[in-house]
Each structure stands twice: as C-alpha cells, then as structure tokens.
Amino acid sequence: MVAPLALIFMTQWMLLITHLCVGWHCTGLELPDSPIRNLMLNQWNMELSWMSSRNFTEDWCSVTAGDFTKTIMTENMKCMFGNTVPPLHNGASFSVTAVNTNGKYSSICRYIPQGTTGSAIENFSCVIYNVSLMNCTWQAGRDAPEDTQYFLYWQNSRDDDQVECELYMKGENGRNVGCRFKNVRIEIEKAYFLVNGSSKDSLIEFYDEYIDLYKIEKLTPPSNITVNCDEMKNDCIIQWQRPQISHSNKDKCFKYEININYKDNAEGRTKYTSIQEGGSSHTFPRPNTRKKYLLKMRTAGSACFVSPAWGEWSAPVEFGNEEIISSSVWTLPVVAVTTLLVAIVTVLFCKRTGCWKTAFPQIPEPKNAFHGLHDTNPELMESKIQSITSENEEIILVADIVK
C-alpha cells in the first residue's frame, strides 16, 4: 500500500518539476486557425514564446490580468514581460498579434490555474531582518486536503535560478507553513515567490507573488548613539551611525525620528520630537539644564530602495544632569516645622493633663509689711512716719558735725 502511494506522490512531484522547469503550454486557443502556434509561457521568467512558419513585418503581444494590461513588442517570436505583470494564480489572458502584407493575425489563450478551489495557501508574507535573514510564512488553504504538503520556490531576480526553500518551518501534522532563508541580498528587481502543493487525492492550486524585497526589510535602529551637552550654551549634540543594510551605504537613504522625554516622566507626554532627513547628528535645544533626559531613535527609508516603514526603537539613552538641592536648603525648614509641631503638641498635652503647673510652679508674691494692720488709725500712722523722718534727719545732722 505504501509503495503505490509513494509512486503517486513521486509522479505528481515529477510533473510539478517539469511544469516549473519547462513551462506552461497554452491550450484551448480562441483562434485555432491562426498561423501563430504553440504558445508557451515560462512562468519564472514571464517569457511568452510561440512558433510560426510565416514571416511578419510587425508583431507584438499583450497580457491582461484583472484590470492590468500590458503590451510589448516581440523579438524572435518571444515576449519578455519580466516582473512587471501581476501574479498568475488568479489567471491571465495572453495574446500575440502579427502583421504582414497578407493581413493581420492573432492568437489568444487564457491561463487558467488548475486545482481544487480553496486549496492554495493563504496569508503569505515575508520579512527581512538582521541585514540578510528572511522569514516567509503562510497558512494552509481552508479547503485543502489533510495530506496536502506545500513547497516554496523563489527567484531573487531574472538572472538567478529558481530554488526551493532549504529550511522549512513545520506546523501541525508536519505540514510546511513557512521558510527561513539565509544570506539574502536585496536586488532592484522584484523577487518572485511560488508556493505549490501536492496531495495524493487532489490537484492543489498554486500561489505566486512578486515582492520588492527592500519594502519588507525591517530596519534596525541607529547604532552608537551618543549625546554631548554644552553647559554654557545649553545645547546637546546627538550623534549616531546609520543602520546596516546589504544594498546601500549612503546617509541620504535614511531618515530618523528622535524622541526625548524627561527621565522622571518617561511614560508621559513627549517633551521633544524631531524628524531628521539624512545626516548623522542633531542639535537638541535643552530647555532645562537640571534635568535628566531619555532619548530613543528609529529609522525609515527616505530615498533609494529602502523600506519607508519605521523600524524598531532603539534602547533608551540617558543624558543630562540631575537637579541637586543643597542639604541646608531643605534641612532648616524641616527642623523648624518639626520643632513647631512638637511645641504645639506639648502645650496641648500639658494643658489637658495639668502637668504645666507641676513643671512650672507659681512664684509667691512678697509679704506686705503692713499686712494685718487694717484697724490702725491713719492719723496715728502719719504721726509715726513723721517721727521716724525727724530721727533720720537728726542722725544725718550729727554725722555732718562730726565731719
């Protein structure tokens, strides 16, 4: 049982390889009597060729896919469309027209992909990161048989050979759901990706797509970011190095977003932001010299063939001087407030408990010498005072005589 299944799988696999390498022959011509015969499309190079026993003075060919139409002149019974046409998994129509002295001839055929509807992969996407690494992922077709296995082929440019993925990412049941690539180089031309499928029970639809590789590159932040501040001018000079990419080394190809916040309000409203076109330095007018700041930067393509999407933010870079307050400035107010509070609490406590009289007893008043003489006659008191005064005068007089 295993041998027949393996034989079926290998047969389909050989048919797939033959189809990819040789090309697709147009069948069901709409104009079967045309002298233009044996139309064949090389899907990888998008080259349409044919045969004819007649000579023509002028000939051209065209392709229509959806709303897209392109017409080019032929050369030696060939038309090279390249990567200027849409993908073919939704079908396309090709035609060749030739003119000679006897009249005008045409041949038209429709390219209709074969396979079970809904069996082709879905949500195909790729990303390039760390200069030369690339990941492509997809999901199995919603109506694909359970035994469907997918295979990814790609061609970086028309001058390259088509190659299969070397390192698949596996999903459930060992099904291929992605591919990892190494040493990827970004070319000016679009790369062509084709994901085909195989099943022992059904013919699987293919999926193809043209991608500008530079557009899917995830740019790294600028490197070696430094900040030097001039304390006299209050300006800070920010310097950095451009991110490394495989296909450009020019500063003018990049633009940078600079974001600066106060360190103590890093998650709050942005204090300063600026977009810098090219270059490798920027002057930041520091509004407060007694604050620490946090700086972060990111990169996007400004010109050249560089992704216009913003990349990741850099790690925060801290710079500036923390505001320093003298200890005497805040120590004295704290001591004063503390002393006042202690005094108020003590007074209230003693007033409530009566300890104030114990701590500070009342000083008695001087004893009145005449206390208890309430009934003394005033006239008698005056007579006594005069008598005492006279005695004092006599004593003073005697003292003077003695002298």
Side-chain angles (χ1 to χ4, degrees), residues 89 116 118-125 136-142 144 148-152 175-178 193-197 204-209:
H89 61 268
T116 302
S119 60
I121 65 164
E122 301 175 352
N123 300 324
F124 180 82
S125 64
C136 294
T137 59
W138 60 83
Q139 294 177 345
R142 66 192 68 184
T148 302
Q149 183 60 285
Y150 295 104
F151 306 94
L152 170 63
R175 178 179 286 168
N176 297 333
V177 294
F193 295 84
L194 184 145
V195 181
N196 228 314
I204 306 302
E205 295 178 319
F206 73 88
Y207 175 90
D208 63 337
E209 185 172 346

PDB file of all heavy atoms in Angstrom, residues 89 116 118-125 136-142 144 148-152 175-178 193-197 204-209:
ATOM      1  N   HIS A  89      -1.803  33.424 -10.187  1.00  0.00           N
ATOM      2  CA  HIS A  89      -2.667  32.428  -9.546  1.00  0.00           C
ATOM      3  C   HIS A  89      -4.155  32.749  -9.694  1.00  0.00           C
ATOM      4  O   HIS A  89      -5.000  31.883  -9.458  1.00  0.00           O
ATOM      5  CB  HIS A  89      -2.305  32.295  -8.053  1.00  0.00           C
ATOM      6  CG  HIS A  89      -2.488  33.554  -7.265  1.00  0.00           C
ATOM      7  ND1 HIS A  89      -1.472  34.465  -7.086  1.00  0.00           N
ATOM      8  CD2 HIS A  89      -3.565  34.046  -6.606  1.00  0.00           C
ATOM      9  CE1 HIS A  89      -1.917  35.462  -6.340  1.00  0.00           C
ATOM     10  NE2 HIS A  89      -3.179  35.236  -6.045  1.00  0.00           N
ATOM     11  N   THR A 116      -8.031  22.181  -6.914  1.00  0.00           N
ATOM     12  CA  THR A 116      -9.224  22.254  -6.076  1.00  0.00           C
ATOM     13  C   THR A 116      -9.374  23.662  -5.528  1.00  0.00           C
ATOM     14  O   THR A 116      -8.435  24.219  -4.947  1.00  0.00           O
ATOM     15  CB  THR A 116      -9.132  21.259  -4.915  1.00  0.00           C
ATOM     16  OG1 THR A 116      -8.959  19.942  -5.450  1.00  0.00           O
ATOM     17  CG2 THR A 116     -10.372  21.306  -4.048  1.00  0.00           C
ATOM     18  N   GLY A 118      -9.849  26.663  -3.269  1.00  0.00           N
ATOM     19  CA  GLY A 118      -9.602  26.832  -1.829  1.00  0.00           C
ATOM     20  C   GLY A 118      -8.458  26.008  -1.292  1.00  0.00           C
ATOM     21  O   GLY A 118      -8.253  25.954  -0.074  1.00  0.00           O
ATOM     22  N   SER A 119      -7.689  25.363  -2.181  1.00  0.00           N
ATOM     23  CA  SER A 119      -6.579  24.523  -1.705  1.00  0.00           C
ATOM     24  C   SER A 119      -5.251  25.278  -1.663  1.00  0.00           C
ATOM     25  O   SER A 119      -4.290  24.805  -1.058  1.00  0.00           O
ATOM     26  CB  SER A 119      -6.437  23.279  -2.587  1.00  0.00           C
ATOM     27  OG  SER A 119      -6.164  23.644  -3.940  1.00  0.00           O
ATOM     28  N   ALA A 120      -5.176  26.436  -2.315  1.00  0.00           N
ATOM     29  CA  ALA A 120      -3.934  27.210  -2.311  1.00  0.00           C
ATOM     30  C   ALA A 120      -3.702  27.837  -0.941  1.00  0.00           C
ATOM     31  O   ALA A 120      -4.637  28.035  -0.154  1.00  0.00           O
ATOM     32  CB  ALA A 120      -3.986  28.293  -3.380  1.00  0.00           C
ATOM     33  N   ILE A 121      -2.450  28.141  -0.652  1.00  0.00           N
ATOM     34  CA  ILE A 121      -2.132  28.738   0.646  1.00  0.00           C
ATOM     35  C   ILE A 121      -2.788  30.107   0.772  1.00  0.00           C
ATOM     36  O   ILE A 121      -3.199  30.727  -0.213  1.00  0.00           O
ATOM     37  CB  ILE A 121      -0.610  28.875   0.832  1.00  0.00           C
ATOM     38  CG1 ILE A 121      -0.047  29.861  -0.204  1.00  0.00           C
ATOM     39  CG2 ILE A 121       0.067  27.534   0.755  1.00  0.00           C
ATOM     40  CD1 ILE A 121       1.329  30.366   0.124  1.00  0.00           C
ATOM     41  N   GLU A 122      -2.840  30.609   2.012  1.00  0.00           N
ATOM     42  CA  GLU A 122      -3.409  31.921   2.305  1.00  0.00           C
ATOM     43  C   GLU A 122      -2.450  32.689   3.222  1.00  0.00           C
ATOM     44  O   GLU A 122      -1.597  32.117   3.883  1.00  0.00           O
ATOM     45  CB  GLU A 122      -4.777  31.779   2.978  1.00  0.00           C
ATOM     46  CG  GLU A 122      -5.793  31.011   2.142  1.00  0.00           C
ATOM     47  CD  GLU A 122      -7.096  30.788   2.892  1.00  0.00           C
ATOM     48  OE1 GLU A 122      -7.146  31.102   4.105  1.00  0.00           O
ATOM     49  OE2 GLU A 122      -8.053  30.288   2.272  1.00  0.00           O
ATOM     50  N   ASN A 123      -2.643  34.022   3.246  1.00  0.00           N
ATOM     51  CA  ASN A 123      -1.904  34.913   4.154  1.00  0.00           C
ATOM     52  C   ASN A 123      -0.387  34.740   4.029  1.00  0.00           C
ATOM     53  O   ASN A 123       0.325  34.576   5.013  1.00  0.00           O
ATOM     54  CB  ASN A 123      -2.338  34.680   5.605  1.00  0.00           C
ATOM     55  CG  ASN A 123      -3.816  34.943   5.825  1.00  0.00           C
ATOM     56  OD1 ASN A 123      -4.381  35.850   5.212  1.00  0.00           O
ATOM     57  ND2 ASN A 123      -4.445  34.152   6.674  1.00  0.00           N
ATOM     58  N   PHE A 124       0.072  34.788   2.798  1.00  0.00           N
ATOM     59  CA  PHE A 124       1.510  34.688   2.557  1.00  0.00           C
ATOM     60  C   PHE A 124       2.177  36.028   2.861  1.00  0.00           C
ATOM     61  O   PHE A 124       1.704  37.087   2.439  1.00  0.00           O
ATOM     62  CB  PHE A 124       1.767  34.305   1.100  1.00  0.00           C
ATOM     63  CG  PHE A 124       3.218  34.164   0.750  1.00  0.00           C
ATOM     64  CD1 PHE A 124       3.893  32.995   1.027  1.00  0.00           C
ATOM     65  CD2 PHE A 124       3.908  35.206   0.134  1.00  0.00           C
ATOM     66  CE1 PHE A 124       5.240  32.847   0.698  1.00  0.00           C
ATOM     67  CE2 PHE A 124       5.245  35.074  -0.193  1.00  0.00           C
ATOM     68  CZ  PHE A 124       5.912  33.889   0.084  1.00  0.00           C
ATOM     69  N   SER A 125       3.295  36.000   3.598  1.00  0.00           N
ATOM     70  CA  SER A 125       4.032  37.230   3.909  1.00  0.00           C
ATOM     71  C   SER A 125       5.484  36.883   4.206  1.00  0.00           C
ATOM     72  O   SER A 125       5.794  35.779   4.662  1.00  0.00           O
ATOM     73  CB  SER A 125       3.420  37.964   5.107  1.00  0.00           C
ATOM     74  OG  SER A 125       3.532  37.189   6.283  1.00  0.00           O
ATOM     75  N   CYS A 136       9.518  33.655   5.609  1.00  0.00           N
ATOM     76  CA  CYS A 136       8.241  33.691   4.895  1.00  0.00           C
ATOM     77  C   CYS A 136       7.291  32.710   5.575  1.00  0.00           C
ATOM     78  O   CYS A 136       7.704  31.603   5.952  1.00  0.00           O
ATOM     79  CB  CYS A 136       8.406  33.308   3.428  1.00  0.00           C
ATOM     80  SG  CYS A 136       9.371  34.484   2.448  1.00  0.00           S
ATOM     81  N   THR A 137       6.049  33.116   5.748  1.00  0.00           N
ATOM     82  CA  THR A 137       5.053  32.262   6.409  1.00  0.00           C
ATOM     83  C   THR A 137       3.759  32.261   5.603  1.00  0.00           C
ATOM     84  O   THR A 137       3.498  33.182   4.812  1.00  0.00           O
ATOM     85  CB  THR A 137       4.770  32.741   7.838  1.00  0.00           C
ATOM     86  OG1 THR A 137       4.291  34.101   7.803  1.00  0.00           O
ATOM     87  CG2 THR A 137       6.028  32.683   8.703  1.00  0.00           C
ATOM     88  N   TRP A 138       2.952  31.239   5.815  1.00  0.00           N
ATOM     89  CA  TRP A 138       1.648  31.125   5.167  1.00  0.00           C
ATOM     90  C   TRP A 138       0.770  30.185   5.970  1.00  0.00           C
ATOM     91  O   TRP A 138       1.220  29.529   6.913  1.00  0.00           O
ATOM     92  CB  TRP A 138       1.810  30.604   3.735  1.00  0.00           C
ATOM     93  CG  TRP A 138       2.459  29.254   3.630  1.00  0.00           C
ATOM     94  CD1 TRP A 138       1.868  28.032   3.769  1.00  0.00           C
ATOM     95  CD2 TRP A 138       3.859  28.988   3.374  1.00  0.00           C
ATOM     96  NE1 TRP A 138       2.779  27.021   3.614  1.00  0.00           N
ATOM     97  CE2 TRP A 138       4.013  27.577   3.369  1.00  0.00           C
ATOM     98  CE3 TRP A 138       4.965  29.800   3.157  1.00  0.00           C
ATOM     99  CZ2 TRP A 138       5.243  26.975   3.137  1.00  0.00           C
ATOM    100  CZ3 TRP A 138       6.193  29.189   2.926  1.00  0.00           C
ATOM    101  CH2 TRP A 138       6.319  27.799   2.921  1.00  0.00           C
ATOM    102  N   GLN A 139      -0.482  30.131   5.585  1.00  0.00           N
ATOM    103  CA  GLN A 139      -1.448  29.213   6.180  1.00  0.00           C
ATOM    104  C   GLN A 139      -1.984  28.285   5.102  1.00  0.00           C
ATOM    105  O   GLN A 139      -2.088  28.667   3.927  1.00  0.00           O
ATOM    106  CB  GLN A 139      -2.604  29.979   6.834  1.00  0.00           C
ATOM    107  CG  GLN A 139      -2.183  30.814   8.032  1.00  0.00           C
ATOM    108  CD  GLN A 139      -3.339  31.605   8.606  1.00  0.00           C
ATOM    109  OE1 GLN A 139      -4.374  31.757   7.961  1.00  0.00           O
ATOM    110  NE2 GLN A 139      -3.178  32.126   9.814  1.00  0.00           N
ATOM    111  N   ALA A 140      -2.334  27.084   5.506  1.00  0.00           N
ATOM    112  CA  ALA A 140      -2.874  26.118   4.554  1.00  0.00           C
ATOM    113  C   ALA A 140      -4.217  26.599   4.018  1.00  0.00           C
ATOM    114  O   ALA A 140      -4.960  27.327   4.690  1.00  0.00           O
ATOM    115  CB  ALA A 140      -3.031  24.750   5.226  1.00  0.00           C
ATOM    116  N   GLY A 141      -4.511  26.216   2.789  1.00  0.00           N
ATOM    117  CA  GLY A 141      -5.799  26.564   2.206  1.00  0.00           C
ATOM    118  C   GLY A 141      -6.952  26.009   3.027  1.00  0.00           C
ATOM    119  O   GLY A 141      -6.877  24.902   3.560  1.00  0.00           O
ATOM    120  N   ARG A 142      -8.005  26.783   3.147  1.00  0.00           N
ATOM    121  CA  ARG A 142      -9.127  26.380   4.009  1.00  0.00           C
ATOM    122  C   ARG A 142      -9.797  25.087   3.537  1.00  0.00           C
ATOM    123  O   ARG A 142     -10.378  24.360   4.339  1.00  0.00           O
ATOM    124  CB  ARG A 142     -10.149  27.511   4.071  1.00  0.00           C
ATOM    125  CG  ARG A 142     -10.852  27.813   2.759  1.00  0.00           C
ATOM    126  CD  ARG A 142     -11.626  29.096   2.813  1.00  0.00           C
ATOM    127  NE  ARG A 142     -10.720  30.247   2.925  1.00  0.00           N
ATOM    128  CZ  ARG A 142     -11.169  31.500   3.062  1.00  0.00           C
ATOM    129  NH1 ARG A 142     -12.472  31.732   3.131  1.00  0.00           N
ATOM    130  NH2 ARG A 142     -10.300  32.485   3.132  1.00  0.00           N
ATOM    131  N   ALA A 144      -8.056  22.719   1.642  1.00  0.00           N
ATOM    132  CA  ALA A 144      -7.007  21.798   1.205  1.00  0.00           C
ATOM    133  C   ALA A 144      -7.171  20.452   1.907  1.00  0.00           C
ATOM    134  O   ALA A 144      -7.524  20.392   3.089  1.00  0.00           O
ATOM    135  CB  ALA A 144      -5.634  22.378   1.523  1.00  0.00           C
ATOM    136  N   THR A 148      -2.269  17.494   2.316  1.00  0.00           N
ATOM    137  CA  THR A 148      -1.601  18.459   1.434  1.00  0.00           C
ATOM    138  C   THR A 148      -0.273  18.920   2.034  1.00  0.00           C
ATOM    139  O   THR A 148      -0.195  19.287   3.207  1.00  0.00           O
ATOM    140  CB  THR A 148      -2.497  19.688   1.197  1.00  0.00           C
ATOM    141  OG1 THR A 148      -3.737  19.262   0.620  1.00  0.00           O
ATOM    142  CG2 THR A 148      -1.820  20.673   0.253  1.00  0.00           C
ATOM    143  N   GLN A 149       0.741  18.893   1.213  1.00  0.00           N
ATOM    144  CA  GLN A 149       2.046  19.421   1.608  1.00  0.00           C
ATOM    145  C   GLN A 149       2.423  20.541   0.634  1.00  0.00           C
ATOM    146  O   GLN A 149       2.182  20.432  -0.572  1.00  0.00           O
ATOM    147  CB  GLN A 149       3.121  18.332   1.584  1.00  0.00           C
ATOM    148  CG  GLN A 149       4.492  18.774   2.056  1.00  0.00           C
ATOM    149  CD  GLN A 149       4.487  19.280   3.484  1.00  0.00           C
ATOM    150  OE1 GLN A 149       4.034  20.385   3.763  1.00  0.00           O
ATOM    151  NE2 GLN A 149       4.978  18.432   4.396  1.00  0.00           N
ATOM    152  N   TYR A 150       3.001  21.625   1.192  1.00  0.00           N
ATOM    153  CA  TYR A 150       3.329  22.783   0.368  1.00  0.00           C
ATOM    154  C   TYR A 150       4.847  22.917   0.211  1.00  0.00           C
ATOM    155  O   TYR A 150       5.623  22.548   1.102  1.00  0.00           O
ATOM    156  CB  TYR A 150       2.762  24.061   0.996  1.00  0.00           C
ATOM    157  CG  TYR A 150       1.252  24.088   1.032  1.00  0.00           C
ATOM    158  CD1 TYR A 150       0.559  23.857   2.227  1.00  0.00           C
ATOM    159  CD2 TYR A 150       0.509  24.333  -0.120  1.00  0.00           C
ATOM    160  CE1 TYR A 150      -0.828  23.887   2.266  1.00  0.00           C
ATOM    161  CE2 TYR A 150      -0.876  24.357  -0.094  1.00  0.00           C
ATOM    162  CZ  TYR A 150      -1.542  24.134   1.103  1.00  0.00           C
ATOM    163  OH  TYR A 150      -2.907  24.151   1.135  1.00  0.00           O
ATOM    164  N   PHE A 151       5.236  23.499  -0.939  1.00  0.00           N
ATOM    165  CA  PHE A 151       6.651  23.670  -1.257  1.00  0.00           C
ATOM    166  C   PHE A 151       6.852  25.076  -1.811  1.00  0.00           C
ATOM    167  O   PHE A 151       6.108  25.518  -2.702  1.00  0.00           O
ATOM    168  CB  PHE A 151       7.102  22.622  -2.277  1.00  0.00           C
ATOM    169  CG  PHE A 151       6.795  21.214  -1.865  1.00  0.00           C
ATOM    170  CD1 PHE A 151       5.627  20.597  -2.279  1.00  0.00           C
ATOM    171  CD2 PHE A 151       7.670  20.510  -1.039  1.00  0.00           C
ATOM    172  CE1 PHE A 151       5.322  19.301  -1.897  1.00  0.00           C
ATOM    173  CE2 PHE A 151       7.383  19.217  -0.656  1.00  0.00           C
ATOM    174  CZ  PHE A 151       6.199  18.607  -1.073  1.00  0.00           C
ATOM    175  N   LEU A 152       7.845  25.755  -1.270  1.00  0.00           N
ATOM    176  CA  LEU A 152       8.125  27.133  -1.673  1.00  0.00           C
ATOM    177  C   LEU A 152       9.339  27.183  -2.605  1.00  0.00           C
ATOM    178  O   LEU A 152      10.386  26.600  -2.317  1.00  0.00           O
ATOM    179  CB  LEU A 152       8.405  27.992  -0.432  1.00  0.00           C
ATOM    180  CG  LEU A 152       8.949  29.399  -0.702  1.00  0.00           C
ATOM    181  CD1 LEU A 152       7.931  30.235  -1.475  1.00  0.00           C
ATOM    182  CD2 LEU A 152       9.319  30.087   0.608  1.00  0.00           C
ATOM    183  N   ARG A 175       3.145  19.640   8.334  1.00  0.00           N
ATOM    184  CA  ARG A 175       2.917  20.418   7.118  1.00  0.00           C
ATOM    185  C   ARG A 175       3.813  21.658   7.113  1.00  0.00           C
ATOM    186  O   ARG A 175       4.002  22.316   8.128  1.00  0.00           O
ATOM    187  CB  ARG A 175       1.454  20.830   7.039  1.00  0.00           C
ATOM    188  CG  ARG A 175       1.092  21.693   5.841  1.00  0.00           C
ATOM    189  CD  ARG A 175      -0.386  22.027   5.846  1.00  0.00           C
ATOM    190  NE  ARG A 175      -1.180  20.860   5.471  1.00  0.00           N
ATOM    191  CZ  ARG A 175      -2.507  20.814   5.627  1.00  0.00           C
ATOM    192  NH1 ARG A 175      -3.156  21.819   6.185  1.00  0.00           N
ATOM    193  NH2 ARG A 175      -3.169  19.736   5.240  1.00  0.00           N
ATOM    194  N   ASN A 176       4.355  21.978   5.952  1.00  0.00           N
ATOM    195  CA  ASN A 176       5.197  23.163   5.818  1.00  0.00           C
ATOM    196  C   ASN A 176       4.333  24.424   5.881  1.00  0.00           C
ATOM    197  O   ASN A 176       3.388  24.586   5.105  1.00  0.00           O
ATOM    198  CB  ASN A 176       5.955  23.136   4.490  1.00  0.00           C
ATOM    199  CG  ASN A 176       6.909  21.964   4.397  1.00  0.00           C
ATOM    200  OD1 ASN A 176       7.393  21.464   5.407  1.00  0.00           O
ATOM    201  ND2 ASN A 176       7.179  21.509   3.175  1.00  0.00           N
ATOM    202  N   VAL A 177       4.681  25.339   6.806  1.00  0.00           N
ATOM    203  CA  VAL A 177       3.922  26.584   6.969  1.00  0.00           C
ATOM    204  C   VAL A 177       4.821  27.809   6.890  1.00  0.00           C
ATOM    205  O   VAL A 177       4.378  28.930   7.146  1.00  0.00           O
ATOM    206  CB  VAL A 177       3.164  26.586   8.318  1.00  0.00           C
ATOM    207  CG1 VAL A 177       2.093  25.512   8.352  1.00  0.00           C
ATOM    208  CG2 VAL A 177       4.140  26.407   9.484  1.00  0.00           C
ATOM    209  N   GLY A 178       6.079  27.604   6.532  1.00  0.00           N
ATOM    210  CA  GLY A 178       6.982  28.738   6.428  1.00  0.00           C
ATOM    211  C   GLY A 178       8.357  28.296   5.996  1.00  0.00           C
ATOM    212  O   GLY A 178       8.648  27.107   5.864  1.00  0.00           O
ATOM    213  N   PHE A 193       7.992  34.639  -5.856  1.00  0.00           N
ATOM    214  CA  PHE A 193       7.749  33.524  -4.939  1.00  0.00           C
ATOM    215  C   PHE A 193       6.593  32.694  -5.474  1.00  0.00           C
ATOM    216  O   PHE A 193       5.583  33.239  -5.940  1.00  0.00           O
ATOM    217  CB  PHE A 193       7.395  34.035  -3.542  1.00  0.00           C
ATOM    218  CG  PHE A 193       8.513  34.774  -2.861  1.00  0.00           C
ATOM    219  CD1 PHE A 193       8.727  36.124  -3.120  1.00  0.00           C
ATOM    220  CD2 PHE A 193       9.345  34.130  -1.959  1.00  0.00           C
ATOM    221  CE1 PHE A 193       9.749  36.810  -2.495  1.00  0.00           C
ATOM    222  CE2 PHE A 193      10.368  34.804  -1.324  1.00  0.00           C
ATOM    223  CZ  PHE A 193      10.572  36.148  -1.598  1.00  0.00           C
ATOM    224  N   LEU A 194       6.751  31.380  -5.384  1.00  0.00           N
ATOM    225  CA  LEU A 194       5.692  30.460  -5.801  1.00  0.00           C
ATOM    226  C   LEU A 194       5.584  29.341  -4.769  1.00  0.00           C
ATOM    227  O   LEU A 194       6.587  28.713  -4.428  1.00  0.00           O
ATOM    228  CB  LEU A 194       5.980  29.889  -7.184  1.00  0.00           C
ATOM    229  CG  LEU A 194       4.903  28.983  -7.779  1.00  0.00           C
ATOM    230  CD1 LEU A 194       4.817  29.161  -9.289  1.00  0.00           C
ATOM    231  CD2 LEU A 194       5.170  27.504  -7.474  1.00  0.00           C
ATOM    232  N   VAL A 195       4.373  29.132  -4.268  1.00  0.00           N
ATOM    233  CA  VAL A 195       4.115  28.041  -3.329  1.00  0.00           C
ATOM    234  C   VAL A 195       3.158  27.070  -4.000  1.00  0.00           C
ATOM    235  O   VAL A 195       2.011  27.423  -4.307  1.00  0.00           O
ATOM    236  CB  VAL A 195       3.524  28.542  -2.000  1.00  0.00           C
ATOM    237  CG1 VAL A 195       3.296  27.374  -1.050  1.00  0.00           C
ATOM    238  CG2 VAL A 195       4.450  29.578  -1.364  1.00  0.00           C
ATOM    239  N   ASN A 196       3.649  25.869  -4.245  1.00  0.00           N
ATOM    240  CA  ASN A 196       2.849  24.841  -4.870  1.00  0.00           C
ATOM    241  C   ASN A 196       2.454  23.805  -3.835  1.00  0.00           C
ATOM    242  O   ASN A 196       3.015  23.762  -2.734  1.00  0.00           O
ATOM    243  CB  ASN A 196       3.630  24.172  -5.998  1.00  0.00           C
ATOM    244  CG  ASN A 196       2.802  24.068  -7.266  1.00  0.00           C
ATOM    245  OD1 ASN A 196       1.643  23.673  -7.211  1.00  0.00           O
ATOM    246  ND2 ASN A 196       3.410  24.414  -8.391  1.00  0.00           N
ATOM    247  N   GLY A 197       1.523  22.982  -4.147  1.00  0.00           N
ATOM    248  CA  GLY A 197       1.067  21.961  -3.214  1.00  0.00           C
ATOM    249  C   GLY A 197       0.914  20.617  -3.862  1.00  0.00           C
ATOM    250  O   GLY A 197       0.814  20.496  -5.095  1.00  0.00           O
ATOM    251  N   ILE A 204      -3.639  20.514  -6.331  1.00  0.00           N
ATOM    252  CA  ILE A 204      -3.611  21.674  -5.444  1.00  0.00           C
ATOM    253  C   ILE A 204      -3.296  22.936  -6.246  1.00  0.00           C
ATOM    254  O   ILE A 204      -2.385  22.948  -7.082  1.00  0.00           O
ATOM    255  CB  ILE A 204      -2.564  21.490  -4.324  1.00  0.00           C
ATOM    256  CG1 ILE A 204      -2.826  20.177  -3.583  1.00  0.00           C
ATOM    257  CG2 ILE A 204      -2.586  22.665  -3.361  1.00  0.00           C
ATOM    258  CD1 ILE A 204      -4.200  20.070  -2.958  1.00  0.00           C
ATOM    259  N   GLU A 205      -4.044  23.980  -5.989  1.00  0.00           N
ATOM    260  CA  GLU A 205      -3.783  25.267  -6.629  1.00  0.00           C
ATOM    261  C   GLU A 205      -2.457  25.848  -6.144  1.00  0.00           C
ATOM    262  O   GLU A 205      -2.056  25.636  -4.999  1.00  0.00           O
ATOM    263  CB  GLU A 205      -4.896  26.265  -6.315  1.00  0.00           C
ATOM    264  CG  GLU A 205      -6.255  25.905  -6.887  1.00  0.00           C
ATOM    265  CD  GLU A 205      -7.306  26.918  -6.488  1.00  0.00           C
ATOM    266  OE1 GLU A 205      -7.290  27.351  -5.314  1.00  0.00           O
ATOM    267  OE2 GLU A 205      -8.142  27.271  -7.334  1.00  0.00           O
ATOM    268  N   PHE A 206      -1.791  26.585  -7.023  1.00  0.00           N
ATOM    269  CA  PHE A 206      -0.558  27.252  -6.598  1.00  0.00           C
ATOM    270  C   PHE A 206      -0.862  28.695  -6.194  1.00  0.00           C
ATOM    271  O   PHE A 206      -1.914  29.263  -6.518  1.00  0.00           O
ATOM    272  CB  PHE A 206       0.495  27.206  -7.707  1.00  0.00           C
ATOM    273  CG  PHE A 206       0.220  28.136  -8.870  1.00  0.00           C
ATOM    274  CD1 PHE A 206       0.668  29.455  -8.850  1.00  0.00           C
ATOM    275  CD2 PHE A 206      -0.485  27.688  -9.981  1.00  0.00           C
ATOM    276  CE1 PHE A 206       0.415  30.314  -9.905  1.00  0.00           C
ATOM    277  CE2 PHE A 206      -0.744  28.540 -11.048  1.00  0.00           C
ATOM    278  CZ  PHE A 206      -0.301  29.857 -11.009  1.00  0.00           C
ATOM    279  N   TYR A 207       0.099  29.297  -5.508  1.00  0.00           N
ATOM    280  CA  TYR A 207       0.021  30.712  -5.157  1.00  0.00           C
ATOM    281  C   TYR A 207       1.347  31.350  -5.537  1.00  0.00           C
ATOM    282  O   TYR A 207       2.420  30.797  -5.276  1.00  0.00           O
ATOM    283  CB  TYR A 207      -0.220  30.896  -3.661  1.00  0.00           C
ATOM    284  CG  TYR A 207      -0.201  32.349  -3.215  1.00  0.00           C
ATOM    285  CD1 TYR A 207      -1.369  33.102  -3.215  1.00  0.00           C
ATOM    286  CD2 TYR A 207       0.983  32.956  -2.814  1.00  0.00           C
ATOM    287  CE1 TYR A 207      -1.355  34.429  -2.827  1.00  0.00           C
ATOM    288  CE2 TYR A 207       1.012  34.285  -2.426  1.00  0.00           C
ATOM    289  CZ  TYR A 207      -0.161  35.022  -2.434  1.00  0.00           C
ATOM    290  OH  TYR A 207      -0.146  36.341  -2.045  1.00  0.00           O
ATOM    291  N   ASP A 208       1.309  32.520  -6.185  1.00  0.00           N
ATOM    292  CA  ASP A 208       2.547  33.203  -6.538  1.00  0.00           C
ATOM    293  C   ASP A 208       2.417  34.690  -6.232  1.00  0.00           C
ATOM    294  O   ASP A 208       1.321  35.246  -6.140  1.00  0.00           O
ATOM    295  CB  ASP A 208       2.914  32.969  -8.003  1.00  0.00           C
ATOM    296  CG  ASP A 208       1.888  33.543  -8.965  1.00  0.00           C
ATOM    297  OD1 ASP A 208       0.720  33.732  -8.549  1.00  0.00           O
ATOM    298  OD2 ASP A 208       2.242  33.812 -10.131  1.00  0.00           O
ATOM    299  N   GLU A 209       3.571  35.341  -6.080  1.00  0.00           N
ATOM    300  CA  GLU A 209       3.576  36.756  -5.735  1.00  0.00           C
ATOM    301  C   GLU A 209       4.937  37.356  -6.069  1.00  0.00           C
ATOM    302  O   GLU A 209       5.981  36.717  -5.896  1.00  0.00           O
ATOM    303  CB  GLU A 209       3.273  36.952  -4.242  1.00  0.00           C
ATOM    304  CG  GLU A 209       3.140  38.413  -3.830  1.00  0.00           C
ATOM    305  CD  GLU A 209       2.652  38.564  -2.404  1.00  0.00           C
ATOM    306  OE1 GLU A 209       2.172  37.569  -1.825  1.00  0.00           O
ATOM    307  OE2 GLU A 209       2.757  39.682  -1.878  1.00  0.00           O
TER     308      GLU A 209
END
